[in-house]
Amino acid sequence: MESAHYFSSEPAGEFIRKPLSVVLDGRERSLHTSTGIFSPDAIDKGTRILLDEVPEPAPNGSFLDIGCGWGPIALTLALKSPDAHVTAVDVNQRCIALTTENAATLGLDNLSASLPQDVDPDLGFDLIWSNPPIRIGKAELHELLLLWLPRLNPGGEAFLVVQKNLGSDSLQKWLADTLPAGFAVSRFSTAKSFRVLRVVREG
């Protein structure tokens, strides 16, 4: 699989952009992708299920996409909520470049993509949508989620899509047992071989 090392900071091989035609927020969009990233040729099944299942985002607020890839989730949030500010994070430098370029192509000035360490540590989020990178390993995944989920603002919520055979139910239990007091974890929906988990911080 050419994207096998999509979770590397700087993937092997030349960074060559290639066109991608894809439907986001109900319209065909002409964007760019490349090798060395997650799901470079289409919106992957998990992300599509997340986008189909989650409620419409609020018209404004501070939103986050964890593990943005070439940007389908972050771009959708920015398209749906032009008065919100969307932060997209990924460890892969190509993903940051592509998400930034794709946002510019769509005329979205309410989206910023950056490496995790470059996000303002005091910034909280009203909404998180994510197809988290399960294949980085359990310890790394847990560390990643504990970095971002506690940054939900009071009353904020997160939606995570996880494949059932990759541990969605055990992840739900771990989140419920591990997140601080005031966080509630539930199964929001099931579609095909995926669960959408919901994490809510009490207001």
Side-chain angles (χ1 to χ4, degrees):
M1 184 172 70
E2 66 180 11
S3 57
H5 300 292
Y6 64 85
F7 43 80
S8 301
S9 176
E10 301 202 14
E14 191 175 356
F15 184 6
I16 301 175
R17 291 161 180 80
K18 55 185 180 180
L20 177 67
S21 182
V22 66
V23 175
L24 293 178
D25 191 30
R27 284 181 49 193
E28 191 84 14
R29 316 283 179 172
S30 296
L31 305 173
H32 282 91
T33 181
S34 78
T35 57
I37 67 171
F38 175 65
S39 192
D41 300 317
I43 297 179
D44 68 284
K45 188 181 296 184
T47 294
R48 175 55 64 198
I49 286 171
L50 178 78
L51 295 175
D52 288 345
E53 292 286 321
V54 292
E56 286 289 304
N60 51 53
S62 176
F63 302 165
L64 174 68
D65 172 13
I66 307 167
C68 62
W70 54 262
I73 292 174
L75 294 168
T76 299
L77 282 168
L79 287 164
K80 287 180 174 294
S81 302
D83 293 327
H85 182 264
V86 180
T87 300
V89 295
D90 205 293
V91 298
N92 186 323
Q93 302 270 8
R94 290 185 193 180
C95 294
I96 301 306
L98 288 165
T99 299
T100 299
E101 293 166 13
N102 287 332
T105 296
L106 297 179
L108 298 171
D109 59 6
N110 61 330
L111 190 161
S112 59
S114 62
L115 299 171
Q117 62 267 28
D118 295 333
V119 177
D120 180 352
D122 295 325
L123 180 61
F125 302 100
D126 304 305
L127 178 65
I128 297 173
W129 285 2
S130 179
N131 181 359
I134 299 296
R135 295 183 188 279
I136 61 175
K138 184 179 289 188
E140 291 83 358
L141 176 68
H142 288 177
E143 182 180 356
L144 178 71
L145 295 177
L146 287 181
L147 173 65
W148 296 110
L149 291 177
R151 292 173 66 168
L152 280 170
N153 292 326
E157 59 184 355
F159 293 92
L160 313 173
V161 64
V162 183
Q163 202 162 349
K164 285 189 280 189
N165 66 4
L166 292 180
S168 59
D169 293 348
S170 60
L171 180 63
Q172 178 183 340
K173 183 180 186 304
W174 177 83
L175 286 170
D177 292 342
T178 307
L179 285 170
F183 286 81
V185 183
S186 61
R187 182 190 304 165
F188 180 76
S189 67
T190 298
K192 299 180 181 176
S193 59
F194 291 85
R195 309 267 202 224
V196 177
L197 306 181
R198 181 174 183 242
V199 179
V200 179
R201 184 174 183 181
E202 294 176 3

